[in-house]
Amino acid sequence: MSKIIMTKPSESGIALGGIGAGSVELMPDGEFHYWQIANPPRMTDVCWERKEYDGESHTGALSFWVRAQRENSRPVVRRLGMKTDQDDFSYRMFPWSKPVEKIIFDGRFPVCEIEYEDRALPCRITGRAVSPFVPHHSDISAAPGFYMDFEIENTQDSELTLSLLGTLVPEFCNKGGCRNIPGKDSENINITLYPAQKTDAPDCGEVCLSIGGDGEKSCITGEYRRFMREYIFDDDKFGVSQESVLFGFRETGCLPDSEAVTPPPDIPENSESLSEEETDRLFNIYTEYPFAASVLQRIRDVNPSFPSDRDEKLSFLRSLRAQSRHIKPEEFGAAALCSTVKLAPGEKKTVRFVMTWYFPNHFSKDGRRLGHYYENLFSGAADVNAFLRKNRADVFDKAVAFSNLLYNTDLPEIYPECWSGHLNTIIKCSWYLKDGKFALWEGQGFCGFHTTDITYHASFGLLALFPELQLRQMRMGAAFQRDDGRVHHFFTPDLDHVDNGFDRVDMNNQFVLMVLRDYLYTGDTGYLSDMWPHVVSAVDSIRALDTDGDGLPDRDTKRNTYDAWNFSGTTVYISVLWLAALKAAAQIAGEMGDNARAFGWNAILEKGLSSLEKRLWNGEYYNLWLSDSVKDESLMTDQLDGEWFLRAAGIGGNICDKRIKHVLQVILDNNFDPDSGLINASCPEGRQTTLFTHKNCQAEAVWTGIGYVTAALCLSVGLRNKADEIVGSIHENQARFGLLWNHWECGHHYTRPLSSWTTLTAALGLKVDSAKKTIGFAPVAENITLPLCLPGILGTVKVKNGSVSIHITQGSIEGWTVLRKR
């Protein structure tokens, strides 16, 4: 009996698409999954756990095949993917069409490298898929499309003929079928699929596939969907055969260059009434379609003179009409593109595909058309395709360069994998509307958009790469601040309405911290000025929760981001956040010239820090909460969250590093296990807990976003080995579940784990003040290389024997003061 080694297949991959434009997901099986480009409910509506349409049923809509043939040898055909559904092609009958033997997948968002291996292929084939994710260019990065390149190398000692076939079967859109229009220039062929009937349906829109690069190009402009996979032709007179584009591809290595753009006209039921001229016309029309030409060729293989008269032509037409269960007008519109190259021994060539789309019918629940930002940039799918082809150097090359930049580090690869991997979520979970509004889902189809307590953890990378989008969603949220100073929780069901979650007491503090960080990164004084009144109201609102004047909130502290875990009285999580917010607010007040407020808030900060020690410090760590005579001494992992943000933003902490380091050691000794990860809380032996915490579902949960927060804080105080263990555990657990690029908390593709970016800022020891043009570093090692990403700036920081050098690849720091803290 043969032994089979089975491992958990991956259920996540690299998102291909633009910001707010929808995406498809290229997974390690080489297939394109989760077709979320045509406004599916999972992208446009709050679905929660409902099994709403998410595009997964259309895996295989875009498929690629290779045909390789050596001189005087039979061709070898392989699918460049692992999909083997019976309705795709009957592998049980035609094993020559099998998938490649092995795929080596290297996902480094926004790039995905794939090696296809098969012992029967006399060549080396690699694929490279690239999203148009170009830092500091949100317009380019909103383009609805992606690149798919294939590089082929002849590994034999004789000439090789190789063909690459791409098929597009658009079952995910345009329920009435498509009408396809070809376009050609000296280097490319493109086919645009338009809706047969233009409606306001969300899935009504355009798709365009193009082919360029090396080789002789051929195409099928328009065809029935089933022919691009397979169907059974069944006729009493002409026999039974399986029909598919793959048979002709296997035989010739090219496509027939058919240019049909619409379905053929109906064949009348009473075809005997057709005149000879009408019969000839219909026969000639139908035989221009590959689905019919394929059947005709099979007949002529046996009877070369067919058809010899009108009756035989009518008989043939009637046989085609009888296939109506497979050949339906509403299923017309599939397309195929092919390139054939000849390769000398050792020669390499590249075939390039570009896939784009245009689906403007994005509506709010109240019926308003929201649209997509890309409508302001492009007129249709063909326009997007032409843009991506023409501007390859500014899109493809820069996206690849950014991916390479993130991996240019001496840190273990688990770090750049978490930096790049979670940027994937920006594509998967973004709304970028026609009117310019932008926000991220909290979890795709879960909760809402721009959730304040999640944006707080998740927005460092967004701010560094697309600062205008972060500032835009912050302004959008500030407009919904309540009269009592409470900031919004999340937007739902669109970006013009919010929920009633104003009672979460952590959010005002987080809002203030984000405002200062955003200003330090961008130097945008207009933004700071606009947000200043909101900062004042936010601080005053939380200050009113201090009933005993000790500098710490102690009333209405129950609700927070841990929304199934109730706190009471003076809580460590809220207190540390509040003290961090006071420090940030005082600095903002200084920038605004309000010295009185700065002085007053600093005085509260000093008093609050003293009270924190008196009320919550137990000699080992800070107790969870104290309310009158009742206390919960549970050990919360996230108790120093406010300190994490102060350090990650380069503001500087309130609590000394020695204390932070000690508390982290206690947390990791009690709450972290390399196999299961870092839980949110425990109650050490001999300590007192409450029913609110004991075996609470969130206290015992592992939230990877908080894991990254803790790892970043470890890096900032010199616990490098501990940080490595935490990040490594997250990586291992997600990989074992097949969800490396899809972290779950409250919904798939949850945004809190974008906090992983702060392990980069912590490793750099980054401190930036763009308004004052100063940048400082306190790297985690005396010899290390790390990427540098700031608004308008990309580069590399190299530290050698403690000496810092900066190589800028985009933007400039000319005139800036560079500080190095030892």
Side-chain angles (χ1 to χ4, degrees):
M1 185 177 195
S2 298
K3 291 183 179 179
I4 296 176
I5 300 173
M6 189 69 185
T7 58
K8 171 69 176 177
S10 179
E11 296 179 16
S12 67
I14 297 298
L16 301 174
I19 296 175
S23 66
V24 300
E25 204 166 324
L26 182 55
M27 289 193 184
D29 64 356
E31 301 287 355
F32 298 86
H33 294 253
Y34 293 108
W35 285 77
Q36 297 180 353
I37 67 177
N39 306 305
R42 180 55 68 186
M43 271 299 296
T44 60
D45 198 2
V46 180
C47 305
W48 296 100
E49 290 87 356
R50 297 197 312 272
K51 294 291 184 182
E52 293 287 358
Y53 169 71
D54 58 11
E56 175 58 11
S57 62
H58 297 308
T59 298
L62 179 65
S63 299
F64 293 100
W65 305 78
V66 64
R67 176 191 185 271
Q69 186 171 25
R70 289 177 286 191
E71 191 174 0
N72 300 321
S73 299
R74 289 184 178 181
V76 177
V77 176
R78 292 292 184 266
R79 182 187 178 98
L80 299 179
M82 298 292 189
K83 186 171 183 286
T84 57
D85 292 352
Q86 289 186 8
D87 66 350
D88 194 33
F89 197 83
S90 295
Y91 293 96
R92 66 192 183 277
M93 295 174 65
F94 302 102
W96 53 263
S97 63
K98 62 175 68 73
V100 288
E101 195 171 4
K102 183 194 296 184
I103 288 177
I104 301 172
F105 184 92
D106 188 7
R108 300 185 174 201
F109 181 85
V111 178
C112 179
E113 303 273 2
I114 301 180
E115 296 179 38
Y116 306 93
E117 295 187 358
D118 194 293
R119 286 168 291 179
L121 287 173
C123 58
R124 181 177 293 113
I125 305 175
T126 57
R128 174 182 277 183
V130 179
S131 280
F133 191 91
V134 181
H136 312 138
H137 295 277
S138 58
D139 280 8
I140 290 175
S141 301
F146 61 88
Y147 300 90
M148 187 71 220
D149 283 10
F150 294 96
E151 183 181 86
I152 316 106
E153 179 184 3
N154 183 358
T155 57
Q156 306 299 306
D157 56 6
S158 59
E159 186 179 76
L160 175 69
T161 301
L162 190 141
S163 299
L164 273 167
L165 168 67
T167 62
L168 180 59
V169 184
E171 294 175 339
F172 53 84
C173 67
N174 299 328
K175 295 300 186 289
C178 298
R179 302 297 179 262
N180 300 358
I181 304 297
K184 295 183 180 181
D185 57 34
S186 60
E187 298 179 355
N188 303 275
I189 298 177
N190 67 84
I191 301 173
T192 305
L193 285 57
Y194 295 92
Q197 294 181 318
K198 197 169 183 179
T199 71
D200 284 338
D203 67 353
C204 180
E206 305 167 13
V207 185
C208 182
L209 183 66
S210 68
I211 188 171
D214 296 319
E216 292 294 322
K217 314 298 188 304
S218 56
C219 69
I220 295 176
T221 299
E223 188 48 277
Y224 291 101
R225 297 171 186 171
R226 287 296 299 270
F227 183 73
M228 290 301 178
R229 291 175 173 165
E230 61 84 25
Y231 78 96
I232 301 296
F233 175 89
D234 186 354
D235 184 77
D236 289 342
K237 183 172 183 179
F238 298 117
V240 180
S241 62
Q242 188 164 18
E243 301 296 329
S244 171
V245 67
L246 292 179
F247 291 105
F249 176 67
R250 184 195 188 203
E251 183 176 345
T252 67
C254 62
L255 298 174
D257 280 330
S258 66
E259 297 185 355
V261 300
T262 61
D266 289 340
I267 300 169
E269 186 174 357
N270 182 19
S271 56
E272 290 293 339
S273 63
L274 293 173
S275 67
E276 186 165 351
E277 182 180 354
E278 289 171 326
T279 301
D280 287 344
R281 183 180 68 86
L282 273 180
F283 180 84
N284 291 335
I285 289 174
Y286 267 81
T287 52
E288 289 295 316
Y289 289 80
F291 86 95
S294 174
V295 176
L296 179 61
Q297 183 58 53
R298 183 177 66 83
I299 296 169
R300 284 176 171 172
D301 288 342
V302 176
N303 183 1
S305 63
F306 182 88
S308 59
D309 55 29
R310 173 178 175 273
D311 288 343
E312 286 190 339
K313 290 178 182 179
L314 285 175
S315 180
F316 179 74
L317 290 172
R318 284 194 291 267
S319 73
L320 294 178
R321 189 179 187 281
Q323 312 307 313
S324 60
R325 70 184 186 281
H326 302 306
I327 307 302
K328 305 173 183 177
E330 65 271 20
E331 293 185 1
F332 185 86
L337 292 167
C338 179
S339 184
T340 302
V341 298
K342 290 188 180 296
L343 295 163
E347 188 177 10
K348 294 180 181 179
K349 291 189 177 180
T350 302
V351 178
R352 297 170 174 169
F353 291 86
V354 178
M355 169 80 182
T356 54
W357 55 87
Y358 198 88
F359 290 90
N361 296 341
H362 177 197
F363 293 92
S364 175
K365 294 282 283 186
D366 61 12
R368 290 178 299 116
R369 180 186 291 273
L370 303 176
H372 297 282
Y373 187 78
Y374 61 67
E375 295 175 66
N376 301 307
L377 310 172
F378 307 105
S379 60
D383 190 23
V384 184
N385 208 287
F387 171 83
L388 292 182
R389 298 195 312 268
K390 181 179 178 181
N391 296 280
R392 183 181 173 92
D394 289 329
V395 187
F396 183 99
D397 292 353
K398 289 185 177 180
V400 171
F402 174 62
S403 174
N404 292 337
L405 173 69
L406 291 182
Y407 280 80
N408 184 16
T409 179
D410 301 318
L411 286 176
E413 197 166 87
I414 53 174
Y415 284 97
E417 286 193 353
C418 76
W419 304 334
S420 74
H422 291 291
L423 295 177
N424 205 50
T425 308
I426 295 177
I427 300 298
K428 289 291 294 187
C429 288
S430 53
W431 271 21
Y432 196 5
L433 305 183
K434 188 175 182 180
D435 64 5
K437 290 189 177 75
F438 168 85
L440 294 176
W441 276 105
E442 181 176 332
Q444 194 184 56
F446 281 70
C447 304
F449 304 90
H450 178 32
T451 305
T452 295
D453 48 308
I454 309 304
T455 299
Y456 162 79
H457 285 122
S459 54
F460 277 85
L462 180 68
L463 175 64
L465 303 177
F466 303 102
E468 71 280 13
L469 299 184
Q470 166 60 9
L471 268 57
R472 195 172 297 171
Q473 66 175 351
M474 286 291 288
R475 291 179 188 273
M476 184 176 74
F480 284 84
Q481 187 176 31
R482 216 163 56 178
D483 290 343
D484 64 358
R486 290 299 183 96
V487 300
H488 85 284
H489 177 217
F490 59 59
F491 282 78
T492 186
D494 51 39
L495 304 188
D496 294 306
H497 303 86
V498 297
D499 75 334
N500 194 34
F502 293 93
D503 57 341
R504 296 176 182 235
V505 74
D506 50 350
M507 299 187 305
N508 278 33
N509 309 297
Q510 294 162 336
F511 173 82
V512 173
L513 285 161
M514 285 191 284
V515 169
L516 178 58
R517 179 208 56 189
D518 295 350
Y519 169 68
L520 292 174
Y521 268 57
T522 64
D524 189 331
T525 55
Y527 171 77
L528 192 67
S529 237
D530 291 345
M531 301 303 270
W532 170 237
H534 300 287
V535 167
V536 172
S537 295
V539 173
D540 288 348
S541 178
I542 301 303
R543 183 180 178 184
L545 302 182
D546 177 9
T547 63
D548 57 12
D550 69 348
L552 299 177
D554 53 47
R555 176 174 63 85
D556 297 335
T557 57
K558 171 182 174 181
R559 295 283 288 163
N560 60 87
T561 197
Y562 296 88
D563 50 9
W565 180 13
N566 293 336
F567 300 161
S568 184
T570 303
T571 77
V572 62
Y573 168 68
I574 299 301
S575 294
V576 174
L577 265 176
W578 162 243
L579 297 172
L582 281 171
K583 182 168 187 172
Q587 187 169 334
I588 295 171
E591 294 287 341
M592 297 304 300
D594 193 333
N595 296 326
R597 277 202 171 90
F599 179 83
W601 288 339
N602 276 321
I604 299 171
L605 171 59
E606 186 176 350
K607 182 186 291 185
L609 284 168
S610 175
S611 298
L612 180 71
E613 298 300 311
K614 293 175 184 176
R615 296 179 67 81
L616 296 177
W617 180 249
N618 65 21
E620 290 294 317
Y621 59 89
Y622 294 97
N623 289 334
L624 182 61
W625 54 261
L626 173 67
S627 180
D628 297 325
S629 60
V630 179
K631 63 181 177 180
D632 189 324
E633 296 178 310
S634 297
L635 173 62
M636 185 184 192
T637 294
D638 202 22
Q639 61 185 269
L640 300 173
D641 190 284
E643 290 293 308
W644 158 77
F645 194 98
L646 289 174
R647 287 165 167 76
I651 301 166
N654 285 321
I655 301 173
C656 70
D657 285 0
K658 183 179 179 181
R659 170 61 61 81
I660 299 291
K661 193 171 184 176
H662 173 82
V663 173
L664 285 171
Q665 291 277 16
V666 175
I667 289 170
L668 294 173
D669 287 345
N670 287 271
N671 295 356
F672 178 66
D673 175 76
D675 182 63
S676 57
L678 181 64
I679 61 172
N680 285 331
S682 68
C683 187
E685 188 175 351
R687 297 293 183 179
Q688 175 182 331
T689 188
T690 64
L691 280 175
F692 295 115
T693 302
H694 180 58
K695 293 190 176 181
N696 173 271
C697 62
Q698 290 185 340
E700 294 194 339
V702 174
W703 287 1
T704 58
I706 299 305
Y708 290 127
V709 164
T710 307
L713 190 54
C714 285
L715 288 171
S716 72
V717 295
L719 295 176
R720 163 70 188 281
N721 291 339
K722 296 297 184 182
D724 290 357
E725 289 180 20
I726 296 168
V727 176
S729 173
I730 293 171
H731 185 278
E732 171 66 14
N733 285 337
Q734 291 296 133
R736 289 285 288 274
F737 282 103
L739 295 170
L740 199 57
W741 296 280
N742 178 7
H743 289 220
W744 169 275
E745 189 181 308
C746 183
H748 294 287
H749 299 283
Y750 201 68
T751 51
R752 197 195 306 268
L754 278 159
S755 61
S756 60
W757 191 263
T758 63
T759 62
L760 172 55
T761 61
L764 286 163
L766 183 63
K767 179 181 176 68
V768 62
D769 189 331
S770 290
K772 294 181 174 62
K773 292 192 173 181
T774 62
I775 185 170
F777 303 98
V780 293
E782 290 294 294
N783 293 280
I784 195 168
T785 299
L786 291 161
L788 175 65
C789 304
L790 289 169
I793 296 170
L794 295 177
T796 302
V797 175
K798 292 190 175 182
V799 186
K800 187 174 183 180
N801 298 325
S803 177
V804 175
S805 63
I806 306 172
H807 175 63
I808 298 298
T809 57
Q810 179 182 306
S812 173
I813 57 170
E814 186 177 352
W816 286 52
T817 300
V818 179
L819 307 172
R820 165 76 166 99
K821 180 181 177 182
R822 291 186 180 274

